[in-house]
Amino acid sequence: MNEQASTASAASDEAAQYLTVNLGNEEYGVDILAVREIRGWTPVTRIPQAPSYVLGVLNLRGAIVPVLDLRLRFGLAREEYTATTVCVIVMVAGRQFGVVVDAVSDVVDVAPGAVRPVPDMGTTVDTEYLKGLTSVGERMVLLLDVDRLLQPQDAQMLEAALASPEVKAVA
Amino acid sequence: MSKVDLAQFHKAFHEESLDGLDAMEQALLALDEGADDPELINVVFRAAHSIKGGAATFGFTDVAAFTHVAENLMEEVRSGRRPMEKAVVELLLRSGDTVRDMLALSMAGKSAATADSQVLLAELSAMVSGGTAAAPAAAKVAAPAEAIEGWDIAFRPFDYLLKTGNDPARMFRELGALGPLRVECDAGKLPALADMDASSSYLGWTLHLDAGAKRAAVEGVFDWVDGDCDLSLTPRVAAPVPVAAAPTAPSAPRAVRDVTANSESSSVRVGIEKIDTLINLVGELVITQSMLSQFHDGVDASQLEMLRHGLAQLSRHTRELQESVMSIRMLPISTVFNRFPRLVRDLAQKLDKKVVLDLRGETTELDKTVLEKIGDPLVHLVRNAIDHGLEGPARRLAAGKSDTGTLRMEAFHRGGSIVVEVADDGAGLNRDAIVAKAVQRGIITSGDGMSDEAVAELIFEAGFSTAAATTDLSGRGVGMDVVRRNVMDLGGTVGIRSTQGSGTTFTITLPLTLAIIDGLTAAVGEETYIVPLVSIVESVQVKPDAIRSVAGGGELFRFRDHWLPIVRLFDVFGCDGRRLAIDEGIVIVVEGEGTRIGLFVDELIGQQQAVVKSLEANYRRVAGISGATILADGSVALIADVTGLVRMQGRKKAA
């Protein structure tokens, strides 16, 4: 047990790697350990009653995976999907989902000490989706908290609204 | 050095213990029925013994302590010092339940000793330490342990003994620990060196233990080779105490033993995730194949024949592979049926009724998911049949039937479905009482002209629940709507046949597997949805003048003798429907939970088999959608949940 704990803490002392993605002229970092793959944009199948930022589902080698648009999630306008538009498949808590971004740019090492809290201004994004920010050279990278993108409280609210008494009784 | 983490074995221990408890319960029930087979007693003993051993190893001391006492009780029975009587069976059955609970608590990391277990432990201890029937039994069979001076043990292992991992030398050492031991070896069967197989055992031994050890201690040494050797234990007795002829431990391998050995080796425990992955991959293969099959036209004519041939082969192989992979998750329904002997026994006892349970078709295989979900509805039906369907002995005799009721549970294949029937030969449904109840509840206005089937169907109405139980009618209404809903959720149906005075039969029809459905592909605006074929009654084109609008904006259309509501799928699913005029599209009449509605879609594209995928795995449940599938072009199509749509329509009406 002790050994495990010490290796774990050793790992957290080391730099974590982030995949950086572009959204407009901002740059976001996604923990690379959560990233499963990066795919080009392909049309998805719309799901009824989904929040606007959930574009639909796609077929990922036989699994049905929801895709959300990061721009819409953050309340930005969706621009045309272009050749650089990509879908980053991430896996959080055993669930996979895709995140559509304008482009992927880089993989950066971020030392734990280099992560700064997000000031409450200067981003178009609600800070609750962010773990912090860091600078890479002259660039500022906002580190995303991917766990919160498909927000549970959101999902619960929606389910509560949809769920009929019968459905609850069965569950 | 770090200690081995035992926790990794806990799950395996837990599963094995539960299997052991199941085997124990079955053996006890057979004993309770009067079966007199020493092997059954051994099964119970072995289960208790292994659970005790495992529990002690993994530090579940409460469980170990409890099973130890149960094992002692079994030991008394096994050694013949106590007859296997009702009280013992009863107590051991309850002990099994308690151990089950204790194991669950232990696995959750809680203390397993509960008030219940303490009470039962006290009862067990009381029985073991000479309570009730111990004394006469002991005198009849074996001499008291104190009088034993020593043991003569004839031990001849069967030739495969060494392959089971047992080592006689180790056993002798263990015997030696009980007292001075003299060993004679019989090498008479030893073949010539050239003919010898080093892994076979050719030797036999006669052992003389010069100590008054307890029978249990001596037998304990041979526990693991029980059935793998000829063994006889003869106590040497000092005084003129009456001695029974050497009660021998199994002297020949019995058929029962062989059967258990076979069934153990023919099944493998497989993680469900692994199977799911495999099923996914094979489903994918099916899709690739259908993708390939669309290439026909674009290929050079000379290669076309080869391609066609290859495709035919691929398609055959794919299908075979898919079938065999899917069969992995098929399990015999006996895994569900097995719980019923106990349930029936307990219920019959509680209600003072005589019931014989007749299980048939136990080897019929069902999908594991179905098996897990079908248990509760079946329990419900069985409970109802015994509680309300079957009469007590007096009433049965008065009705000219035998005093013992029969409850038949049967599983069999019919067409592409699996049928599970629960039938009793009880009083049947009371038509008048049901009609009266239904009228009172406002479900129908009068029973005149209703067929018996239609009347029987009434008990599935939600409004029929609970209150019906208090009336004199058969009371089958208790939660019957829940049974039906659970079966519906599995894509199945429940039917009912009843003859007043001679019994009721419930017939549950289930799809062979949940993983693949036949569906009709329908276009709705830009999108494609799949409607399961089983729920489709008919597709019709409706003329605008056949539509009646209802206050509040609802639309009804005439279908045969009924007016059915129209559900426009593009409305429900919020897609851009292109066709708003009713005569431009098509209405699919579907039935869910006995209610029919018309789904309005743009057009029907075709019929296809769909590999059902979960939407919840990565996303969440969506109202009106039961899952998703992948079309031949690799895109995703959603599968309409007919039952859900019917309910949504019902709610809209109620709102």
Side-chain angles (χ1 to χ4, degrees), chain A residues 45-51 54 57-59 61-66 94-96 150 155 158-159 164 166-167 170, chain B residues 280 284 485 489 527 529 572-575 613-620 622-623 625 628 630 634 636 638 647 651:
Chain A
T45 302
R46 201 188 55 86
I47 320 174
Q49 297 128 8
V54 175
V57 285
L58 59 75
N59 162 23
R61 284 182 302 284
I64 305 293
V65 175
R95 283 169 174 246
Q96 300 187 67
L150 254 188
L158 198 83
E159 256 155 51
S164 64
E166 290 101 313
V167 171
V170 170
Chain B
N280 248 354
E284 205 48 19
R485 190 154 62 222
D489 283 347
E527 297 166 13
Y529 289 89
V572 181
F573 294 150
C575 28
K613 311 266 182 181
S614 157
L615 207 55
E616 284 122 294
N618 291 306
Y619 186 56
R620 62 172 80 123
V622 177
I625 300 291
I630 295 162
V636 180
L638 301 178
R647 276 192 216 148
R651 264 204 305 288

Side-chain angles (χ1 to χ4, degrees), chain A residues 62-142:
Chain A
I64 305 293
V65 175
V67 174
L68 60 92
D69 187 311
L70 206 54
R71 277 179 169 267
L72 295 175
R73 185 71 181 100
F74 292 161
L76 303 172
R78 163 50 45 204
E79 292 177 7
E80 279 301 294
Y81 296 108
T82 68
T84 62
T85 307
V86 290
C87 179
V88 180
I89 307 286
V90 295
M91 171 105 111
V92 176
R95 283 169 174 246
Q96 300 187 67
F97 59 93
V99 181
V100 173
V101 296
D102 292 355
V104 286
S105 67
D106 206 355
V107 174
V108 296
D109 292 337
V110 179
V115 178
R116 305 268 168 262
V118 187
D120 218 2
M121 48 172 286
T123 66
T124 43
V125 174
D126 201 335
T127 48
E128 76 172 299
Y129 307 120
L130 301 176
K131 281 197 282 199
L133 61 81
T134 189
S135 24
V136 178
E138 290 302 297
R139 293 141 60 198
M140 181 186 79
V141 175
L142 295 151

Side-chain angles (χ1 to χ4, degrees), chain B residues 471-488:
Chain B
T471 71
D472 192 37
L473 93 123
S474 297
R476 292 301 183 96
V478 186
M480 252 342 134
D481 57 321
V482 179
V483 169
R484 176 150 78 171
R485 190 154 62 222
N486 286 348
V487 173
M488 288 279 202

Side-chain angles (χ1 to χ4, degrees), chain B residues 136-344:
Chain B
K140 195 173 77 195
V141 185
E146 293 77 34
I148 294 173
E149 217 173 36
W151 293 86
D152 293 327
I153 304 156
F155 172 55
R156 174 165 278 283
F158 298 142
D159 55 3
Y160 60 81
L161 181 94
L162 299 178
K163 292 176 187 160
T164 64
N166 286 293
D167 180 357
R170 205 178 303 146
M171 292 158 56
F172 300 162
R173 223 172 290 139
E174 210 177 307
L175 269 182
L178 298 172
L181 186 72
R182 288 173 289 135
V183 182
E184 290 166 22
C185 181
D186 166 19
K189 288 199 181 154
L190 210 58
L193 191 57
D195 302 329
M196 195 149 109
D197 171 7
S199 59
S200 283
S201 123
Y202 300 103
L203 302 176
W205 289 271
T206 310
L207 303 128
H208 306 283
L209 180 64
D210 297 326
K214 288 221 173 79
R215 174 178 284 272
V218 179
E219 280 183 350
V221 172
F222 295 98
D223 260 357
W224 299 109
V225 294
D226 187 6
D228 297 328
C229 64
D230 285 330
L231 179 71
S232 74
L233 300 179
T234 318
R236 256 179 287 132
V237 183
V241 176
V243 184
T248 53
S251 55
R254 270 183 300 259
V256 181
R257 169 90 192 168
D258 290 346
V259 169
T260 30
N262 284 343
S263 68
E264 270 161 19
S265 60
S266 67
S267 75
V268 181
R269 209 184 272 275
V270 188
I272 193 82
E273 311 91 332
K274 288 183 190 171
I275 298 176
D276 284 347
T277 317
L278 208 53
I279 287 173
N280 248 354
L281 288 172
V282 175
E284 205 48 19
L285 196 59
V286 174
I287 293 153
T288 317
Q289 181 263 319
S290 66
M291 244 156 81
L292 271 175
S293 64
Q294 290 178 354
F295 268 111
H296 286 236
D297 319 20
V299 181
D300 175 14
S302 62
Q303 296 172 347
L304 193 61
E305 195 46 43
M306 247 163 71
L307 177 67
R308 202 169 273 160
H309 180 73
L311 281 173
Q313 200 135 349
L314 175 64
S315 115
R316 195 163 55 237
H317 288 161
T318 321
R319 192 152 270 275
E320 273 173 26
L321 180 60
Q322 185 170 34
E323 274 168 18
S324 66
V325 168
M326 297 224 296
S327 77
I328 295 181
R329 40 180 313 148
M330 303 292 275
L331 290 173
I333 200 169
S334 56
T335 51
V336 172
F337 275 5
N338 281 346
R339 72 166 96 161
F340 288 103
R342 175 75 190 278
L343 181 78
V344 170

